[in-house]
Amino acid sequence: MKKIDYYLELARGRMPADLLLRNLRLVNVLSGEIHATSVAIADGIFLGLGDYPAREQIDCGGRYLVPGLIEGHIHIESSQILPAEFARLVAAHGTAAVVADPHEIANVMGVDGVEFMLAATAGLPVSFFFMVPACVPSTTMETAGDRLDAVAVTELLQKYPERLLGLAEVMNFPGVLKREPETMAKIRACAGRIIDGHAPQLSGFDLNAYILAGPGSDHEATTLSEAREKLRAGMHLMLREGSREHNLDDLIPLINRHNQANCSLVSDDRHVGDLLDKGHLDYSIRKAIAGGLDPLTAIQMATINPARYFGLKKRGAVAPGYRADAILLDDLAGFVIDRVFLAGRLQREADFRSPLQALPGNTVLLPALSEKSFAIPVRGRGLLVIGMIPGQLVTRKLILDAKLEEGLAVADPERDLAKLAVLERHHGSGRIGLGFVQGLGLRRGALAGTVAHDAHNLIVAGVSDADMLLAAQTVKAMGGGLAVVANGRVLGRLPLPVAGLMSVEKAETTAAALKKLQAQAAFLGAEHDPFMTISFLALPVIPALKLTDRGLVDVERFQLVELWSEPA
């Protein structure tokens, strides 16, 4: 009997299904209603709705059944755990499929990094799809570990056509507007596929031109007016609720029954501690509902909407022929999860073993350093300073008087002014970008880490050159990771030996170590989650001022600028 004939017999009820979920209320994202029914499953797919004969039955006790959740934009590496551990955590929160952008590890390892993530997610109960990184490096104003050109993008898409869906966020929007040949070649290589956008604060004719070039989504909107303009221009709006960026509350008022099909909930970056303590997309759904969004709409934005945007056929809904990913809820408004089914099987932690694969070696290459490596000789009076904005990735450009000691510009804790350094760590060039940041809260000591978007060089923030040196040396000795130092002592460290981005430990172990490290940083005066904060101070595609290994970047002018605003 041919397979289709077999499924037709099952769907007609002439053969018993594997499982019948009965006595439930289906949150039907296709018809836009909630109705009482039963659901039959066989061979990992939904057969249909109704009281089918089945080998096993589960009385759902009137609980709600919703489709498995689909993450449309996330960087798994930012969770700081290996993909199998990430899958174990998010599955428990109802996530059935993930569309990830592996540009963090690609900026360290290039094609090898993308293939590492593909291998690390193969065969897991959660389905993983990827977008080919568009910006490795994100700009020419930083030094990444490798690069992905248009040829590499094309070859990856041809090699992995089922798992690579298109081109990831095109962060170099100035390059698109200037029609830079390499940027445009990557977009052409993905013609006919999904191309994700990344265009913070882009507006007017420039936004129109950017969209016309190919990018069809955006997750960077932070205000209603920005989100509305992008939605009006035809972009798929991704409402982001991550560990650092919290845009959901501000954007929910824009959503209505007429436009919700063009909107999805995404995370972008989510730390391991937040995955354990708060959850994943289920957290975003709860927050959206609490903010006034209809529960059915919120669920559609995390299921059928991303499935349709990414062309994930037969996913994101409970209907005949769809993959049998589903969540039983005790409470709809509170999105309280009772059980999770992935491909028709009850989710179990034992199913999430890491695929066997070789881990990358040490990716931290630094020459010998000294305190002089962090010295900033006086060349003027006014300093161009990165001004942090609480809860945002965007920063301000500040001009402040330098504090001078023995011919050097130094940190000034009294004004919350810390020194910042970005050390090129991929090629051993010895290049160091130096600057200052206001708003980190450091009163003493130093913080360092190899998580520094997107090139992931070694970033160090501190108020003492000696402590900055020790922090950098500590991270180097670990082969990548995070460190807290004060008064010549290492207070805490978290090894991230996989590309300097991910731990090899269990999620709970990594989260506990990170929580301890954050407490040690707080003891030095640093604000909440300072490692996440400093990791974005090196990202030269989000306004207004950032620091890379090549120096200060004025993102609005998209060029390197001098540290001294008033030359001597």
Side-chain angles (χ1 to χ4, degrees):
M1 182 183 292
K2 295 181 180 179
K3 200 165 189 178
I4 185 62
D5 295 331
Y6 169 68
Y7 285 125
L8 285 173
E9 290 297 291
L10 285 168
R12 296 184 70 192
R14 294 183 174 182
M15 298 173 60
D18 295 336
L19 175 65
L20 182 70
L21 302 176
R22 60 183 180 84
N23 187 20
L24 58 81
R25 286 176 284 180
L26 175 61
V27 179
N28 197 316
V29 297
L30 299 175
S31 65
E33 60 181 329
I34 300 172
H35 56 92
T37 188
S38 298
V39 176
I41 297 170
D43 289 354
I45 66 170
F46 294 117
L47 295 176
L49 311 182
D51 291 320
Y52 279 82
R55 296 184 181 89
E56 179 185 358
Q57 294 190 15
I58 295 177
D59 185 342
C60 299
R63 291 180 174 87
Y64 295 91
L65 187 75
V66 305
L69 309 181
I70 300 175
E71 169 67 75
H73 179 72
I74 196 167
H75 307 285
I76 298 168
E77 307 96 304
S78 294
S79 68
Q80 299 179 344
I81 50 178
L82 288 172
E85 279 295 282
F86 174 86
R88 177 175 69 87
L89 295 192
V90 301
H93 293 280
T95 301
V98 173
V99 181
D101 175 4
H103 77 207
E104 316 295 359
I105 196 168
N107 268 283
V108 179
M109 298 171 56
V111 170
D112 289 345
V114 177
E115 295 191 321
F116 175 85
M117 297 300 283
L118 285 163
T121 54
L124 292 172
V126 173
S127 299
F128 284 87
F129 303 92
F130 292 89
M131 305 290 279
V132 182
C135 298
V136 178
S138 62
T139 73
T140 58
M141 296 175 290
E142 60 192 323
T143 306
D146 210 330
R147 63 184 303 107
L148 291 181
D149 58 15
V151 173
V153 168
T154 300
E155 291 176 347
L156 280 167
L157 288 169
Q158 291 173 344
K159 189 174 181 180
Y160 304 99
E162 299 301 318
R163 298 191 63 199
L164 297 179
L165 305 180
L167 192 64
E169 52 182 324
V170 182
M171 295 184 291
N172 188 3
F173 61 83
V176 174
L177 300 177
K178 295 176 182 177
R179 302 191 300 280
E180 290 181 356
E182 184 61 32
T183 300
M184 300 310 293
K186 292 175 186 177
I187 290 175
R188 285 194 299 271
C190 295
R193 292 176 176 263
I194 302 298
I195 300 175
D196 277 338
H198 171 116
Q201 301 179 9
L202 196 63
S203 182
F205 290 175
D206 283 349
L207 175 63
N208 294 337
Y210 178 75
I211 295 170
L212 189 145
S217 70
D218 186 87
H219 57 274
E220 290 293 334
T222 59
T223 66
L224 274 178
S225 60
E226 180 182 4
R228 183 178 290 109
E229 182 178 10
K230 288 173 176 176
L231 200 55
R232 284 174 173 174
M235 295 191 109
H236 186 88
L237 185 66
M238 295 179 172
L239 289 77
R240 174 175 55 189
E241 188 67 22
S243 287
R244 181 70 175 85
E245 276 284 329
H246 309 288
N247 306 132
L248 198 52
D249 284 342
D250 292 329
L251 302 184
I252 282 175
L254 179 64
I255 309 304
N256 60 48
R257 64 188 181 90
H258 302 292
N259 64 24
Q260 64 84 18
N262 299 317
C263 304
S264 294
L265 301 178
V266 302
S267 304
D268 200 1
D269 294 296
R270 200 129 180 88
H271 265 189
V272 59
D274 283 340
L275 289 172
L276 284 165
D277 296 340
K278 297 179 179 179
H280 185 211
L281 290 171
D282 59 325
Y283 171 78
S284 297
I285 290 173
R286 284 191 292 272
K287 189 167 186 178
I289 294 170
L293 206 59
D294 176 76
L296 180 53
T297 298
I299 290 166
Q300 287 172 317
M301 289 169 60
T303 55
I304 194 63
N305 292 4
R308 285 174 170 165
Y309 172 74
F310 286 104
L312 300 178
K313 297 184 182 302
K314 300 299 182 180
R315 290 177 182 265
V318 177
Y322 280 64
R323 179 177 145 124
D325 298 323
I327 312 165
L328 272 177
L329 299 179
D330 287 329
D331 175 66
L332 183 61
F335 210 83
V336 179
I337 296 175
D338 173 67
R339 277 167 281 187
V340 176
F341 297 87
L342 298 177
R345 294 184 58 191
L346 189 64
Q347 180 264 328
R348 301 178 306 168
E349 287 203 0
D351 296 331
F352 291 88
R353 290 182 291 272
S354 298
L356 292 176
Q357 63 180 136
L359 298 177
N362 193 337
T363 59
V364 182
L365 303 176
L366 291 175
L369 300 169
S370 68
E371 288 186 38
K372 292 182 179 179
S373 302
F374 301 93
I376 300 179
V378 174
R379 294 195 179 94
R381 179 184 174 188
L383 288 169
L384 195 56
V385 174
I386 300 172
M388 290 173 44
I389 301 173
Q392 298 293 334
L393 299 185
V394 294
T395 63
R396 296 178 294 162
K397 286 182 285 187
L398 304 176
I399 297 177
L400 301 176
D401 288 340
K403 180 180 180 181
L404 308 179
E405 290 183 0
E406 300 179 358
L408 300 175
V410 298
D412 186 359
E414 295 305 314
R415 289 187 292 163
D416 195 4
L417 191 64
K419 187 178 286 186
L420 195 65
V422 178
L423 294 75
E424 192 278 306
R425 62 104 165 175
H426 304 293
H427 309 288
S429 68
R431 187 164 42 250
I432 303 177
L434 295 170
F436 290 88
V437 57
Q438 187 177 64
L440 189 59
L442 270 181
R443 305 291 296 178
R444 58 193 180 94
L447 315 174
T450 45
V451 179
H453 303 281
D454 278 327
H456 296 295
N457 286 303
L458 173 56
I459 190 165
V460 188
V463 298
S464 156
D465 289 357
D467 283 341
M468 291 177 74
L469 172 63
L470 179 57
Q473 291 173 329
T474 302
V475 171
K476 177 184 177 181
M478 292 188 292
L482 311 176
V484 178
V485 167
N487 301 325
R489 293 178 53 242
V490 178
L491 301 184
R493 69 190 86 196
L494 172 59
L496 301 173
V498 181
L501 301 173
M502 292 175 280
S503 168
V504 296
E505 304 295 334
K506 296 283 286 185
E508 291 80 2
T509 302
T510 303
L514 181 60
K515 187 174 183 179
K516 182 177 180 181
L517 208 61
Q518 290 169 339
Q520 290 159 336
F523 179 67
L524 304 183
E527 301 295 332
H528 172 70
D529 205 354
F531 291 101
M532 175 70 90
T533 299
I534 66 172
S535 74
F536 284 102
L537 295 181
L539 182 57
V541 294
I542 295 183
L545 193 65
K546 297 297 169 72
L547 181 70
T548 76
D549 64 300
R550 295 182 181 273
L552 274 177
V553 178
D554 185 325
V555 182
E556 292 165 335
R557 293 162 58 188
F558 214 63
Q559 65 184 46
L560 293 164
V561 293
E562 292 294 326
L563 171 63
W564 296 93
S565 66
E566 299 178 23

